[in-house]
Amino acid sequence: MIPPPEESILDIRGQVCPSSLLTTLRALNQHAASLRRGDLRLRILTDSRDAVSTIPAAAENMGFLVGVEKLPAGHYEVVISHAAD
Amino acid sequence: MPPTERSLPQSETDPANLARLAAENAELRRNNRDVFDYIRAKTNQLLNTMGTRSLPPEELADWSLLELDPIGIVAQSFQYVLENLRETNERLQLAHQEVQAVFEAVGAAVLVLDPQMRIIAFNDRVRTLLLNAGGDMTGVLCQKVVCRSKPAMQNCVHSKVLASGRPEASADFYTNGRFFDVIGQPILDPQGRVTRIVLAYNDVTEHKRSQSDLLVALDEVRRAKEQIDTLLRTMSDGLVATDGKRRIVLMNQAAEELLGLCLHESPGLPLLDVISHAGLRTHLEAVARGEAHLLTDMEFVIDGQKRVFQARTTAFSSTAASDQGRITLLHDVTRARDIERVKDEILSTAAHQLRTPLSSVIGYSDLLIQAYHDIGDEARLEYLRLIHAKAEQLSEIVSNLLDISRIEASEGVTLTCQAHSATLICRDAIAGFLHSPSGHPIELVVRGEDVPILVDHFAILQVLENLLSNAMKYSPPGSPVVVTLWAGDGMGHVSVCDRGIGMTGEQAAQAFDKFYRADASNTAIAGTGLGLTIVRHLVEAHGGRVAIDSQVGEGTVVHCTFPLA
């Protein structure tokens, strides 16, 4: 049985500086190998509307699968995992 | 991190020095700002390159530019983007090769067209199935090479797909001597517009041919079945077929009527469970035991009449011997058995009838041979007359036997009827008896005018001769015989009247039966007992009737009717 992937949560709520996108990209770069293997899933919590469009675009171009969900608390959750194929 | 304040040495507070330092500071700040702007610009440039929006300056404070290293982060991410692009490219390449392989390997002819019907791509099957031609057709209008006829163009799948934006199909497209089922599939751009149309032509010529052959074969099977059904329905023999477990699978109408069963109620039932006829049960049980006698006679009563049937059971071929079905045929042999019986009767009667005159012939001829010179001329002549008379009698017996056997065996008589004068026929018949030694005067009485009758000349002569012969045999020599002729009730009537020994009512009732002789003890009167039987057969074959009116000691009248011409 394949074990479920580990989850790493990156909470960047309330963060304007440094950029949410760059913080996320730095985390993606760090965990790229684990994410690609499917060992890890990255959950990013953000309240920046800009980030909700920039982060998925960049992550998808890097070959990851991205899902965005608005949570009842008012912030967003961007889930990044290995590519669909 | 914000800059911290510090106290400066005295030499550095000199105004000129301060001014220089201020200028240097301003220069440094400018340089820093240029560097930060450069870093921001390059970061945004990289972000844009990897498909992401630029970052607003407030998201990257000056101090964080150095600490965060955005160019480093984005450049590394960009590396992953490139890697992803390379992998995607490889996958696309593979997919393209797969599509190309399918494109060439597929049995259908495939055309890829643009919305203007220009050929973008096509596989090899297009050449062999649709065109029978070579050369590059890319960019050519498909109508010029595929749909060259008007009817073909009217059913254009390309136009249908272009209009609907959905997959479309068309059956029985005919071109190049072949039939195709055509399927059209649109390829849409992100805005949902049709950019390409893929047309697949599936060759269904063989399929259609097979279908047509199958229909012909089915029709033949149906006709053969109809023929068998008709044969089974119309055959007079009863037929019952059973499977390997002796269950009824088929029964024709004749068998249904004979056995009092109905196929619709009996299929699948074991035959022995539904058959009540004892003879047939015995036959089937014998067959089941494997006994050799598979032909059995049995009686059935049909419409109150006894009829004889012969049951014959045979196995019909099957792959497994244990699963062999059987067919039981019930053949009506009543007539054959009747004929056999008649033949037996004729044979035994013939032997009996021939023996008496033959004994006389042998006796007298033997006497003539043995004592020829001892016998006087008169006696010799008398013996010869006796031999001759017995030979005549033998001839008549043989003739009657042949007649009755022909009449009985062929069930009815073949007549050639024509209009004849009853008077002339009667005269002809009477003429044959005028010189008989018995000396009976024969009178012909015609009431009214001559009667034209529709008869077979030879048959009617035989009837009259038999009647006259009987009249003379059974009446004293010299007594008159009267033949009367008249027309009435739409028929011609002939009666032969004698003043002979006559018959009782019982004898008269049996007079027409085969081999019946009213006075069998009187061997002096020669006869086979067939004369009146033949008369009745012949008269009835003409559609007439025959009746006897007789009184013992007074005489007999035989009365016949014949159709008028």
Side-chain angles (χ1 to χ4, degrees):
Chain A
M1 202 172 107
I2 302 166
E6 267 183 54
E7 277 196 348
S8 179
I9 298 174
L10 185 65
D11 190 350
I12 47 173
R13 283 176 291 181
Q15 184 173 337
V16 174
C17 188
S19 156
S20 305
L21 174 63
L22 290 173
T23 311
T24 304
L25 286 180
R26 185 168 60 184
L28 284 179
N29 291 343
Q30 270 173 11
H31 302 296
S34 308
L35 281 163
R36 274 168 179 266
R37 283 197 304 271
D39 296 343
L40 182 72
R41 191 156 62 173
L42 199 57
R43 289 173 62 198
I44 297 138
L45 306 177
T46 178
D47 47 15
S48 159
R49 276 178 59 84
D50 276 353
V52 171
S53 64
T54 54
I55 292 171
E60 277 171 4
N61 283 338
M62 289 168 75
F64 297 113
L65 187 72
V66 186
V68 181
E69 197 182 347
K70 184 166 185 180
L71 298 179
H75 60 270
Y76 299 91
E77 184 184 63
V78 181
V79 181
I80 297 171
S81 57
H82 65 93
D85 61 343
Chain B
M1 194 183 293
T4 50
E5 286 185 13
R6 58 190 172 105
S7 52
L8 298 169
Q10 191 61 41
S11 60
E12 290 184 6
T13 58
D14 173 53
N17 209 21
L18 283 174
R20 182 182 56 79
L21 286 172
E24 283 177 4
N25 271 342
E27 180 66 18
L28 279 172
R29 274 197 293 275
R30 208 164 38 247
N31 285 347
N32 272 347
R33 198 164 46 250
D34 286 350
V35 168
F36 293 148
D37 285 348
Y38 177 79
I39 292 169
R40 279 197 193 91
K42 286 297 162 194
T43 303
N44 279 331
Q45 194 181 353
L46 276 170
L47 282 172
N48 289 339
T49 309
M50 59 182 276
T52 311
R53 273 211 321 270
S54 305
L55 295 170
E58 66 271 16
E59 278 201 30
L60 283 174
D62 289 352
W63 61 267
S64 68
L65 284 176
L66 294 174
E67 201 165 294
L68 192 63
D69 184 19
I71 292 177
I73 292 169
V74 179
Q76 196 180 351
S77 295
F78 191 65
Q79 232 176 347
Y80 289 119
V81 170
L82 286 177
E83 202 173 316
N84 182 43
L85 273 177
R86 185 181 53 75
E87 284 171 4
T88 306
N89 208 29
E90 280 173 3
R91 282 196 297 274
L92 277 175
Q93 193 72 26
L94 200 63
H96 177 72
Q97 285 170 2
E98 283 170 5
V99 168
Q100 195 64 30
V102 171
F103 192 58
E104 291 303 340
V106 73
V110 182
L111 272 179
V112 182
L113 304 173
D114 69 7
Q116 287 73 42
M117 292 191 182
R118 285 186 295 254
I119 296 173
I120 304 295
F122 57 93
N123 67 358
D124 270 356
R125 302 282 284 168
V126 170
R127 291 188 201 283
T128 53
L129 288 178
L130 294 177
L131 310 174
N132 276 337
D136 188 12
M137 296 180 299
T138 312
V140 177
L141 278 176
C142 73
Q143 284 185 339
K144 288 193 173 163
V145 288
V146 182
C147 302
R148 282 159 292 183
S149 70
K150 245 190 179 163
M153 285 179 203
Q154 280 167 354
N155 204 13
C156 177
V157 179
H158 179 282
S159 305
K160 287 187 197 172
V161 175
L162 198 61
S164 71
R166 288 201 309 268
E168 298 282 354
S170 167
D172 292 348
F173 171 77
Y174 182 78
T175 189
N176 203 30
R178 308 189 77 84
F179 287 96
F180 297 91
D181 279 351
V182 189
I183 299 166
Q185 187 81 28
I187 297 175
L188 307 175
D189 67 9
Q191 286 73 43
R193 289 174 303 216
V194 177
T195 55
R196 297 278 188 270
I197 291 167
V198 180
L199 297 180
Y201 295 79
N202 290 297
D203 185 358
V204 293
T205 315
E206 291 306 319
H207 176 69
K208 278 182 86 72
R209 200 167 292 155
S210 308
Q211 211 171 24
S212 155
D213 289 349
L214 191 67
L215 284 175
V216 171
L218 277 175
D219 196 46
E220 279 173 9
V221 167
R222 188 179 50 74
R223 266 188 285 128
K225 189 181 176 301
E226 276 173 9
Q227 280 174 352
I228 290 170
D229 284 349
T230 309
L231 195 72
L232 286 176
R233 202 170 46 248
T234 53
M235 69 189 280
S236 58
D237 290 356
L239 181 147
V240 183
T242 53
D243 63 11
K245 292 182 176 161
R246 309 291 160 252
R247 292 174 306 206
I248 299 170
V249 291
L250 187 72
M251 199 191 296
N252 72 350
Q253 198 179 337
E256 285 182 335
E257 287 168 6
L258 210 53
L259 303 175
L261 296 171
C262 178
L263 178 62
H264 294 299
E265 293 165 7
S266 337
L269 292 176
L271 184 57
L272 277 170
D273 287 5
V274 293
I275 298 265
S276 56
H277 190 281
L280 186 54
R281 286 187 67 86
T282 309
H283 165 79
L284 291 171
E285 281 160 4
V287 170
R289 286 195 300 272
E291 289 179 14
H293 64 283
L294 300 179
L295 287 169
T296 319
D297 271 14
M298 57 195 66
E299 277 188 359
F300 283 87
V301 177
I302 300 168
D303 298 332
Q305 283 192 323
K306 273 189 187 172
R307 297 197 70 84
V308 183
F309 280 78
Q310 187 180 58
R312 172 199 286 265
T313 299
T314 45
F316 62 85
S317 59
S318 171
T319 45
S322 61
D323 201 30
Q324 241 177 11
R326 283 183 188 148
I327 290 177
T328 300
L329 265 179
L330 293 165
H331 180 51
D332 187 347
V333 292
T334 313
R335 174 138 182 77
R337 296 293 175 267
D338 279 351
I339 291 171
E340 283 166 20
R341 190 173 43 73
V342 167
K343 277 184 180 164
D344 289 348
E345 281 173 4
I346 288 174
L347 197 64
S348 65
T349 310
H352 178 75
Q353 301 274 347
L354 294 172
R355 189 179 293 151
T356 316
L358 268 177
S359 301
S360 300
V361 169
I362 291 165
Y364 284 113
S365 57
D366 193 42
L367 193 61
L368 282 172
I369 293 164
Q370 297 297 329
Y372 186 81
H373 298 290
D374 301 334
I375 307 166
D377 287 348
E378 204 173 315
R380 202 181 297 138
L381 190 61
E382 175 60 22
Y383 293 166
L384 284 170
R385 280 201 183 114
L386 278 167
I387 289 171
H388 182 261
K390 293 297 171 189
E392 290 270 6
Q393 196 182 333
L394 281 172
S395 169
E396 191 195 336
I397 293 169
V398 169
S399 173
N400 274 351
L401 286 170
L402 286 174
D403 285 342
I404 196 71
S405 96
R406 195 174 61 240
I407 287 165
E408 293 269 340
S410 63
E411 197 171 308
V413 187
T414 311
L415 302 171
T416 311
C417 291
Q418 286 178 324
H420 290 281
S421 155
T423 313
L424 284 180
I425 288 181
C426 286
R427 275 187 192 147
D428 281 354
I430 291 165
F433 292 90
L434 283 179
H435 304 291
S436 73
S438 62
H440 289 90
I442 304 172
E443 187 187 353
L444 174 64
V445 178
V446 182
R447 291 189 199 153
E449 292 183 1
D450 182 23
V451 182
I453 49 177
L454 190 65
V455 290
D456 181 290
H457 185 257
F458 292 104
I460 197 79
L461 263 183
Q462 194 178 355
V463 167
L464 291 168
E465 282 168 3
N466 281 5
L467 294 178
L468 287 170
S469 166
N470 273 357
M472 288 158 74
K473 262 190 242 171
Y474 296 102
S475 61
S479 66
V481 173
V482 181
V483 178
T484 313
L485 195 58
W486 74 99
D489 302 330
M491 297 295 277
H493 299 254
V494 181
S495 71
V496 177
C497 175
D498 66 62
R499 291 188 190 162
I501 56 173
M503 287 181 280
T504 63
E506 196 183 333
Q507 287 171 329
Q510 287 180 281
F512 293 111
D513 290 354
K514 246 186 335 252
F515 307 119
Y516 180 79
R517 293 184 67 194
D519 187 3
S521 62
N522 188 352
T523 51
I525 302 173
T528 54
L530 291 170
L532 281 178
T533 313
I534 294 169
V535 165
R536 191 187 62 181
H537 272 297
L538 292 176
V539 171
E540 287 180 354
H542 281 89
R545 290 288 176 88
V546 60
I548 287 183
D549 184 13
S550 189
Q551 295 288 326
V552 176
E554 289 188 15
T556 303
V557 181
V558 182
H559 175 223
C560 307
T561 60
F562 295 97
L564 289 171

